């Protein structure tokens, strides 16, 4: 595996870094405080090609690979995890599902709009009572001639209110049958589809998370992705790729926490010297840097496999599990290095600390990643 960044990656890193400094840093705390989802920022990311990073150029995307994708999310999350999370959910989940399993008509209709950010995408798997145990979902779709009638609700959905189009997983067969779930494309404005409660969150507050409600919502059979009954297997494949983007999000947060800590530790004086002179502090920095390096290698390994079209289940779980725990550890240590100032909203580490926790929960908790890894190891 080649470790040095490609020319494309360097260009993307610089472009996203400049964009984040110019268009995100001045307002990110305001968005966080008021839970504002900054739609305009995503429109601008669309103009930069970052809302369809993996979408081929023929469908209006940037036609890039996972190395570039990981680079872009990291650079956004280094400044604001919320923007990184929303970009990841839009690209990997909704857009990724249509790209991977859509037919030609579906790709032509949705991908150009999603890649340009004319439309924001959402992806609904989770329900109030079924998170890790998604196969027990209660949202049902019943066939009625050429249509399917959707009833139920999806919870914790990124862009559940602002999403213009959603990929929704619903039960079309027996409970606990892995071939009893189907993926539907549902457009905002379809009668019977409305947004529900917006969550008031600990972190990632500028990334909108809300309920989607379906009441006798009629969906034409042409809106099915792949075949009836394929939805659960599709969703697991989508999460294999999505977890690489959450690893990238985690890395960005961890790097942001380290950047801030390095600067502060050399500026802050106690006992007549910079606190970086104390081994207790410098060893924290060394531990953070070492863990970030290891998390980055795991993430790039998963990205490399994905680029080569190989199975990535175990490696994306390694990357997501490890990088997300590193993000939590690094942001916790960053708050400690900042002391009392780290406990205020005047410095960015407080936000990294709150945002990082989502990474060990979303797209499969750390416990679920360990189950995925163990299952893969034990099947031989
Ligand atoms: C900000 C945010 C954005 C999200 N965006 C989306 C989205 O866009 N689309 C979507 O579909 N979902 C989304 N989710 C949902 C997310 O994927 C779920 O929260 C996650 O999968 C965990 O499910 P849960 O919250 O129901 O926790 P639960 O499944 O109830 O888990 C609770 C605890 O029990 C543990 N646990 C559960 N089962 C086991 C087991 N078998 N063995 C050991 N431990 C276990 C878990 O690890 C966890 O610690 C989002 C969540 C958040 C917070």
């Amino acid at each position: 595996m080649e470790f040095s960044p490609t020319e494309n990656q360097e260009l993307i890193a610089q472009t996203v870094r400049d964009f984040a400094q110019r268009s995100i840093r001045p307002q990110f705390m305001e968005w966080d405080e008021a839970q504002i989802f900054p739609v305009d920022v995503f429109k601008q990311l669309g103009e930069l090609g970052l809302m369809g990073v993996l979408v081929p150029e023929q469908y209006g995307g940037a036609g890039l690979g996972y190395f570039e994708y990981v680079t872009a999310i990291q650079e956004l999350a280094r400044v604001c995890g919320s923007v990184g999370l929303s970009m990841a959910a839009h690209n990997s989940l909704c857009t990724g599902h249509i790209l991977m399993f859509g037919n030609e008509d579906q790709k032509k209709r949705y991908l150009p709009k999603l890649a340009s950010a004319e439309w924001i995408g959402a992806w609904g798997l989770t329900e109030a009572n079924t998170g890790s145990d998604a196969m027990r979902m209660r949202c049902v779709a019943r066939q009625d001639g050429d249509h399917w009638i959707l009833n139920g609700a999806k919870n914790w959905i990124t862009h559940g209110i602002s999403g213009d189009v959603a990929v929704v997983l619903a039960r079309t067969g027996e409970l606990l049958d892995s071939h009893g779930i189907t993926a539907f494309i549902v457009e905002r404005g379809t009668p019977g589809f409305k947004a529900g409660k917006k969550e008031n969150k600990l972190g990632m507050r500028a990334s909108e998370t809300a309920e989607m409600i379906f009441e006798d919502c009629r969906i034409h059979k042409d809106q099915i992705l792949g075949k009836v009954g394929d939805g659960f297997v599709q969703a697991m494949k989508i999460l294999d790729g999505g977890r690489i983007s959450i690893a990238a999000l985690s890395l960005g947060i961890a790097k942001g926490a380290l950047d801030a800590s390095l600067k502060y530790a050399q500026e802050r004086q106690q006992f007549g010297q910079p606190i970086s002179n104390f081994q207790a502090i410098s060893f924290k920095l060394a531990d953070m840097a070492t863990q970030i390096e290891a998390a980055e290698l795991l993430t790039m390994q998963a990205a490399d496999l994905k680029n080569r079209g190989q199975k990535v289940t175990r490696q994306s779980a390694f990357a997501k599990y490890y990088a997300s725990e590193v993000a939590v550890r690094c942001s916790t240590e960053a708050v400690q290095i900042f002391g009392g100032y780290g406990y205020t909203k005047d410095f960015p580490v407080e936000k990294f600390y709150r945002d990082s926790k989502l990474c060990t929960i979303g797209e499969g908790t750390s416990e679920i990643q360990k189950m995925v890894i163990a299952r893969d190891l034990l099947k031989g």
Side-chain angles (χ1 to χ4, degrees), residues 85 89 93 122-133 154-159 201 203-204 207-209 358 360-368 371:
L85 172 63
L93 302 180
W123 189 78
L125 175 69
T126 308
E127 298 179 3
N129 295 314
T130 58
S132 306
D133 191 10
K154 294 285 165 183
N155 295 69
W156 301 102
I157 308 308
T158 303
H159 315 145
K201 307 194 299 292
M204 300 292 192
S207 175
E208 178 188 275
T209 315
L358 175 273
T360 69
I361 296 171
E363 297 200 30
T365 62
S366 289
E367 291 77 12
I368 296 301
M371 281 169 58

Side-chain angles (χ1 to χ4, degrees), residues 246-263:
I246 302 299
L249 177 68
S250 309
L251 265 175
I253 292 173
K255 285 183 181 178
L258 177 60
D259 295 342
S261 301
L262 279 170
K263 186 164 179 285

Side-chain angles (χ1 to χ4, degrees), residues 32 202-203 205 345 350-357:
D32 179 77
L202 167 74
R205 288 172 58 81
K345 292 184 186 289
E350 176 266 354
K351 183 169 180 299
F352 288 130
Y353 180 73
R354 287 185 289 110
D355 288 349
S356 65
K357 196 60 200 142

Side-chain angles (χ1 to χ4, degrees), residues 124 127 139-140 149-155 157 166-170 184 186-188 190-195 211-219:
E127 298 179 3
C139 187
V140 290
I149 320 283
L150 224 64
N151 275 293
K154 294 285 165 183
N155 295 69
I157 308 308
V167 171
V168 180
L169 284 301
F184 297 88
V186 188
E187 293 182 19
R188 173 79 51 215
T190 306
F193 173 28
K194 63 178 184 193
E211 187 182 22
M212 299 192 304
I213 299 168
F214 305 93
E215 287 166 347
D216 290 330
C217 177
R218 283 176 82 80
I219 311 293

Side-chain angles (χ1 to χ4, degrees), residues 40 42 64 100 117 135 141 168 170 272 309 354 358:
D40 282 356
F42 295 94
L64 297 169
M100 205 161 170
M135 226 186 341
V168 180
R354 287 185 289 110
L358 175 273

Side-chain angles (χ1 to χ4, degrees), residues 93-141:
L93 302 180
C94 179
T95 309
H97 205 135
I98 295 172
L99 176 62
M100 205 161 170
F101 298 107
N103 59 33
E104 201 48 34
D105 285 349
Q106 292 166 338
K107 287 184 192 176
K108 279 191 185 141
R109 170 158 175 79
Y110 294 106
L111 294 179
K113 288 194 171 80
L114 288 163
S116 65
E118 183 187 338
W119 281 13
I120 302 285
W123 189 78
L125 175 69
T126 308
E127 298 179 3
N129 295 314
T130 58
S132 306
D133 191 10
M135 226 186 341
R136 262 177 231 268
M137 69 175 61
R138 293 282 169 189
C139 187
V140 290

Side-chain angles (χ1 to χ4, degrees), residues 159-338:
H159 315 145
I161 297 168
S162 302
D164 300 282
V165 61
V167 171
V168 180
L169 284 301
R171 167 160 311 291
T172 48
E174 293 304 309
L175 191 73
L176 293 181
D177 177 3
S178 61
H179 294 285
I181 290 170
T182 301
F184 297 88
I185 306 175
V186 188
E187 293 182 19
R188 173 79 51 215
T190 306
F193 173 28
K194 63 178 184 193
K197 179 186 164 223
K198 177 172 170 171
E199 301 298 340
N200 184 5
K201 307 194 299 292
L202 167 74
M204 300 292 192
R205 288 172 58 81
S207 175
E208 178 188 275
T209 315
E211 187 182 22
M212 299 192 304
I213 299 168
F214 305 93
E215 287 166 347
D216 290 330
C217 177
R218 283 176 82 80
I219 311 293
H220 195 271
K221 66 176 186 333
D222 289 349
Q223 298 298 89
I224 288 176
L225 282 158
K227 291 205 289 289
V228 171
D230 280 356
F232 189 77
V233 176
Q234 292 174 359
M236 294 304 108
K237 289 189 179 148
I238 290 303
L239 288 173
D240 278 351
R243 284 169 184 160
I244 301 174
S245 71
I246 302 299
L249 177 68
S250 309
L251 265 175
I253 292 173
K255 285 183 181 178
L258 177 60
D259 295 342
S261 301
L262 279 170
K263 186 164 179 285
Y264 188 81
Q266 292 172 84
E267 286 169 5
R268 175 71 174 169
Q269 301 260 336
Q270 288 294 284
F271 298 93
Q273 55 193 305
I275 59 170
S276 59
N277 282 0
F278 307 133
Q279 196 181 64
I281 298 297
S282 65
F283 276 18
K284 284 188 195 304
L285 298 169
D287 280 340
M288 288 160 79
T290 308
Q291 291 171 32
I292 288 171
E293 198 80 5
E296 185 148 29
L297 290 173
L298 284 176
T299 306
M300 288 309 187
Q301 172 182 258
D304 182 46
L305 284 178
K306 192 78 180 140
N307 276 343
R308 288 192 278 122
Q310 295 191 10
K311 190 163 188 285
V312 79
T313 306
R314 188 194 299 190
Q315 282 73 16
S316 66
F318 279 160
K320 199 270 181 186
Y321 168 43
Y322 187 73
S324 63
E325 295 289 341
V326 165
V328 172
R329 280 202 293 273
C330 286
S331 55
T332 306
E333 288 296 49
V335 172
Q336 194 67 21
I337 290 169
F338 273 70

